[in-house]
């Protein structure tokens, strides 16, 4: 058995926690010591080995994926991390993974999203294994037995029995509340986006119902394949057309964190007597049903409000009613159309060598904290328009300037002039933290010329 994990989504409905350059699947939310992607990977490792897992992701997330795999103690395999040149929705992404698997032979494949939270892991795996007997005849999808009428999910109507599941009679799009009540009463299942099939069965159905996708991937050039492929989901492009689709209903905890309303539901265990979810020492007076998620040590008081979502980040604030959380994506679209980088970036940005956090920025200066992992080094590089002053606050830095090496210890500093080739490295076992003060006429991240880079960046 092989696994495909889809990890290319941008999670815009969870902004400002999720940003397009560091989306929700890579976040470690309050109360979690692993990211959602890492939890997905750990779940998969209970029934396949790391070499049997293929990850289809946005090319921008390559180093995030590798870093999070390394953090779990595994060596990421380049041939198993499949980079999409551009996002074309789930059908091209899944078929991309299937083609990579088929190069080593036909097999059973399970497809997961990287941003779902699933409980009762052993029970969940038993459902997956039970479905293997159907994969020679069907593309299998899994449905969740609904806990309540939910308008944010699609639904599946089970039809003729084919134990341990049913043939799919019909897929339903996200309904209004009245229809959702009817679907739950009639035994419909939530469409949770988990699939299982044999590679040859899947390819036959793609060729039959999505010939253009099949033909786009007939060559070995992924850039050309994605350029030619249309943007379409597996539901629209294949499952709603094929007569070889079956479903197994699962009675487990599942949450796709598709909005802050479902995010609120995930924290049932910590709701107070008034149904509020808080993570710090927020003060609530005459308030109920609220979600308050704050960053830092800010004093927050919430008085006389009901069913609000308040997400407070250092650089962004979201206030909305729980019934309107699906509209958060529209706010992100407005930010993007205005060229506001806060739609895409957190104050802390992650790199394959560690991370940096922007503390303050003006017309001719920028102050950052660099965190460099043990044994990692930045590229050997040069800037045309800015100088940099590095102050080591913890650890020991190995600094190379114009091919001359120096060790800079905690409390010491060093200056790099514009035009000088330079490199920062952490040769020690402890985390290296450096305050970087940039000054110059242009401070953009694209003012960089790389000469040597351990991570293959140009």
């Amino acid at each position: 058995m092989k696994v495909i994990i889809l990890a290319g989504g941008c999670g815009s409905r969870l902004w400002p926690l999720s940003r397009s350059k560091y989306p929700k699947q890579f976040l470690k939310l309050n109360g979690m010591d692993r990211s959602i992607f890492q939890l997905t990977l750990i779940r998969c490792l209970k029934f396949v080995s790391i070499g049997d897992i293929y990850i289809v992701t946005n090319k921008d997330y390559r180093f995030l994926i590798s870093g999070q795999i390394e953090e779990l103690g595994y060596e990421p395999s380049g041939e198993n991390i499949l980079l999409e040149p551009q996002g074309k929705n789930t059908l091209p992404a899944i078929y991309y993974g299937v083609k990579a698997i088929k190069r080593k032979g036909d097999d059973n494949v399970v497809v997961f999203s990287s941003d779902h939270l699933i409980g009762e892991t052993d029970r969940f795996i038993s459902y997956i294994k039970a479905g293997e007997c159907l994969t020679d005849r069907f593309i299998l999808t899994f449905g969740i037995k609904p806990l309540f009428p939910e308008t944010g999910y699609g639904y599946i109507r089970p039809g003729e029995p084919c134990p341990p599941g049913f043939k799919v009679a019909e897929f339903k799009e996200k309904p209004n509340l009245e229809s959702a009540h009817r679907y739950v009463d009639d035994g419909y299942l939530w469409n949770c986006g988990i699939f299982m099939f044999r590679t040859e069965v899947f390819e036959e159905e793609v060729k039959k119902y999505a010939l253009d996708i099949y033909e786009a991937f007939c060559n070995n050039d992924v850039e050309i394949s994605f350029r030619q492929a249309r943007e379409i989901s597996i539901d629209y492009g294949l499952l709603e057309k094929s007569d070889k689709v079956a479903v197994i209903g699962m009675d487990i905890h599942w949450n796709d964190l598709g909005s802050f309303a479902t995010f609120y539901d995930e924290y049932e265990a910590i709701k107070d007597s008034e149904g509020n979810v808080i993570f710090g020492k927020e003060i609530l007076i005459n308030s109920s049903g609220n979600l308050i998620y704050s960053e830092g040590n800010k004093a927050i008081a919430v008085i006389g409000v009901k069913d609000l979502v308040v997400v407070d980040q250092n650089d962004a604030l979201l206030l909305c009613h729980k019934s309107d959380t699906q509209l958060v994506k529209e706010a992100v679209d407005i930010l993007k159309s205005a060229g506001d980088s806060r739609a895409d970036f957190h104050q802390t940005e992650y790199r394959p060598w560690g991370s940096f956090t922007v503390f303050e920025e003006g017309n001719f200066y920028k102050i950052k904290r660099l965190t460099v992992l043990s044994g990692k080094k930045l590229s050997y590089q040069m800037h045309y328009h800015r100088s940099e002053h590095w102050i080591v606050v913890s650890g020991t830095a190995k600094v190379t300037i114009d091919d001359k090496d120096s060790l800079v210890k905690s409390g010491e500093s060093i200056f790099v002039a514009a035009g000088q080739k330079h490199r920062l490295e952490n040769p020690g076992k402890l985390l290296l933290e450096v305050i970087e003060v940039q000054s110059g006429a242009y401070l953009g991240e694209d003012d960089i010329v790389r000469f040597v880079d351990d991570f293959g960046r140009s």
Side-chain angles (χ1 to χ4, degrees), residues 22-312:
Y22 199 80
K24 64 177 178 178
Q25 59 264 34
F26 303 117
L27 296 175
K28 295 177 183 177
L29 300 172
N30 279 340
M32 295 181 182
D33 60 357
R34 300 295 186 190
S35 73
I36 306 171
F37 167 76
Q38 288 175 320
L39 293 174
T40 303
L41 194 66
I42 291 168
R43 191 183 309 121
C44 294
L45 288 169
K46 289 184 177 293
F47 60 95
V48 296
S49 67
I50 190 70
D52 293 325
I53 299 173
Y54 291 75
I55 301 163
V56 182
T57 188
N58 185 313
K59 61 183 179 179
D60 291 339
Y61 305 156
R62 170 189 169 194
F63 296 117
L64 289 174
I65 294 284
S66 296
Q68 295 213 341
I69 293 173
E70 288 177 356
E71 189 178 319
L72 294 177
Y74 296 93
E75 186 67 31
S77 168
E79 67 176 10
N80 284 33
I81 300 176
L82 307 175
L83 304 178
E84 298 175 285
Q86 52 187 302
K88 287 296 184 77
N89 214 320
T90 52
L91 182 55
I94 293 170
Y95 194 46
Y96 181 24
V98 168
K99 294 287 285 187
I101 290 168
K102 279 181 66 67
R103 284 195 283 270
K104 295 183 179 180
D106 287 308
D107 208 334
N108 278 337
V109 177
V110 188
V111 181
F112 299 109
S113 294
S114 63
D115 54 0
H116 293 180
L117 295 175
I118 295 175
E120 304 143 292
T121 299
D122 291 342
R123 189 174 182 181
F124 170 70
I125 292 171
S126 71
Y127 284 117
I128 299 296
K129 290 183 176 179
E132 287 190 86
C133 65
L134 296 176
T135 57
D136 59 341
R137 294 181 291 142
F138 296 103
I139 297 173
L140 186 62
T141 185
F142 293 85
I144 303 296
K145 294 182 179 179
L147 300 176
F148 47 83
E150 171 59 58
T151 60
Y153 299 147
Y155 286 75
I156 299 170
R157 179 164 68 90
E160 175 188 337
C162 53
F166 301 84
K167 290 195 70 174
V168 170
E170 191 177 14
F171 288 93
K172 289 289 189 179
E173 291 303 305
K174 297 175 182 178
N176 58 33
L177 187 57
E178 181 183 352
S179 296
H181 275 283
R182 187 173 71 253
Y183 294 164
V184 172
D185 291 341
D186 291 345
Y188 287 46
L189 301 167
W190 286 339
N191 186 353
C192 67
I194 299 173
F195 313 105
M196 187 177 182
F197 47 76
R198 283 206 59 85
T199 49
E200 63 266 42
V201 172
F202 187 81
E203 188 168 62
E204 287 170 5
E205 294 301 280
V206 170
K207 187 175 182 179
K208 185 175 180 179
Y209 295 106
L211 182 61
D212 58 322
I213 302 294
Y214 174 86
E215 291 178 339
F217 283 88
C218 282
N219 65 77
N220 292 320
D221 189 321
V222 66
E223 294 279 350
I224 293 175
S225 295
F226 272 85
R227 190 160 58 245
Q228 293 179 347
R230 62 186 157 130
E231 182 175 341
I232 192 165
S233 71
I234 184 174
D235 299 81
Y236 284 133
L238 186 60
L239 301 184
E240 294 182 7
K241 299 175 181 178
S242 174
D243 59 359
K244 292 184 178 180
V245 184
V247 62
I248 289 179
M250 299 189 293
D251 188 8
I252 58 170
H253 174 77
W254 169 85
N255 194 327
D256 72 344
L257 294 179
S259 70
F260 279 111
T262 55
F263 183 96
Y264 169 85
D265 292 335
E266 185 61 28
Y267 289 95
E268 184 70 33
I270 67 169
K271 289 178 183 175
D272 66 15
S273 60
E274 299 298 324
N276 297 298
V277 173
I278 62 173
F279 299 92
K281 296 181 179 180
E282 292 85 359
I283 299 166
L284 292 103
I285 301 172
N286 294 335
S287 297
S288 62
N290 301 293
L291 167 67
I292 315 295
Y293 195 109
S294 177
E295 183 177 273
N297 296 313
K298 200 175 294 182
I300 296 178
V302 178
I303 302 172
V305 297
K306 181 179 180 180
D307 295 333
L308 281 188
V309 172
V310 180
V311 182
D312 180 36

